[in-house]
Amino acid sequence: MEQEEIVKGYDPEIVRRLSTYTLPFRGLVLGAALAMLISTATELLGPVILRRTIDGFILAGVPGAREGIAHNSFLLLLLLLAGLVFSFLEIYLTALAGQKVMKALRMDLYGRVIRRSLAFIGSHPTGRLVTRLTNDVETVNELFTSVLTSLAKDIFIMAGVIITLFALDPVLALATTLSLPPVLGLALYFRVKARDAFRQVRIWVSRVNSFLAEHLGGIRVIQFFTREEKVKREFARAGRALMRANLGEMYIFATFRPIIDFLS
């Protein structure tokens, strides 16, 4: 098994180069961003309308409460429908833009690979190159379509909730925001752990794919020299290493999420 070390962290130059792939599809990206803002606004306005309905009409018992409840219920229904429509548009446009970006990225990578020299092709296992053109590109797709979108939406929701809380009840808002520093500290700590665990999974997926591609392609040679048992043991070791890497990644998320839920 070849050693493959990944030591580079966040690189703004790589992010900038990847972001250039979104420029031809800027209309889809802007449409998805607008839909995300509107759907976020509908999520934030819903609890405000419920509060005004309960405090202003149900508990207060003022004259015309029934009409006020009906009016606010209709507004809430419109908000839910708008949230449904714009959430669909957000997901659809984000996925469409992501697939178009990934198609362009895959075509560029494939073009670079087929133009490389025979020495380069011979020195890099086929499985590793296939992994780079498939799994790693799909990881970038998930970054664009899921991670960044969820991060941006969560930031907008958190900011909107904090602003709304301070506008409605500053004391309650202050008590709520006291839990944010521990959450941020844990998020920064687990970010490093999750990154290292994900890199280990990526390394071992690449190694297993390389092993399969090389040994299945040369299965006749292996059989000719009666190396089946040795190859089987090597593949078993690689499989166990991949399993340990996946379990390590799951252990980090299984630890992180309950702690965050507890602090929330």
Side-chain angles (χ1 to χ4, degrees), residues 11-254:
D11 190 340
E13 177 61 22
I14 294 178
V15 175
R16 185 193 66 79
R17 290 168 59 187
L18 286 175
S19 63
T20 57
Y21 282 92
T22 64
L23 295 180
F25 317 108
R26 61 174 67 90
L28 293 175
V29 175
L30 292 176
L34 180 61
M36 181 188 66
L37 290 175
I38 296 176
S39 66
T40 303
T42 60
E43 293 183 21
L44 293 173
L45 289 175
V48 175
I49 293 178
L50 285 176
R51 175 185 178 275
R52 291 183 176 179
T53 303
I54 295 173
D55 295 343
F57 297 108
I58 297 177
L59 297 181
V62 296
R66 180 173 298 179
E67 291 77 7
I69 293 173
H71 178 265
N72 285 356
S73 299
F74 181 71
L75 288 179
L76 184 60
L77 178 61
L78 290 180
L79 278 178
L80 293 175
L81 292 175
L84 176 64
V85 171
F86 284 101
S87 294
F88 168 79
L89 289 176
E90 172 199 345
I91 296 172
Y92 176 78
L93 293 176
T94 302
L96 182 60
Q99 290 301 315
K100 289 181 178 294
V101 168
M102 291 309 103
K103 178 185 176 182
L105 181 58
R106 282 195 182 99
M107 294 301 295
D108 286 352
L109 288 175
Y110 181 74
R112 286 183 62 86
V113 169
I114 62 176
R115 288 194 298 268
R116 301 306 293 262
S117 64
L118 291 177
F120 173 86
I121 301 297
S123 62
H124 289 75
T126 305
R128 182 183 297 177
L129 295 177
V130 171
T131 300
R132 294 292 174 265
L133 293 174
T134 55
N135 291 16
D136 290 355
V137 173
E138 186 59 34
T139 300
V140 176
N141 178 38
E142 185 177 353
L143 170 68
F144 278 107
T145 59
S146 300
V147 178
L148 292 181
T149 303
S150 299
L151 177 63
K153 189 168 185 176
D154 290 343
I155 290 175
F156 282 123
I157 290 178
M158 182 179 295
V161 167
I162 292 176
I163 293 173
T164 305
L165 279 176
F166 274 103
L168 298 177
D169 192 334
V171 177
L172 179 61
L174 183 61
T176 302
T177 53
L178 290 178
S179 64
L180 290 180
V183 171
L184 292 176
L186 285 172
L188 292 176
Y189 173 76
F190 278 100
R191 179 183 69 88
V192 177
K193 296 294 184 180
R195 182 187 63 191
D196 295 339
F198 174 76
R199 284 177 173 177
Q200 286 300 313
V201 172
R202 176 188 169 193
I203 288 172
W204 282 105
V205 166
S206 176
R207 291 180 182 177
V208 169
N209 287 343
S210 300
F211 187 92
L212 288 173
E214 297 301 319
H215 288 78
L216 290 178
I219 189 65
R220 293 185 180 275
V221 178
I222 294 173
Q223 291 174 342
F224 181 79
F225 288 98
T226 64
R227 308 291 288 178
E228 294 92 333
E229 291 300 322
K230 183 177 183 297
V231 170
K232 181 179 178 180
R233 290 194 297 270
E234 291 178 357
F235 182 72
R237 285 196 296 268
R240 286 193 296 268
L242 178 58
M243 181 186 68
R244 287 194 296 268
N246 280 310
L247 289 176
E249 184 181 27
M250 288 187 291
Y251 176 78
I252 290 173
F253 284 105

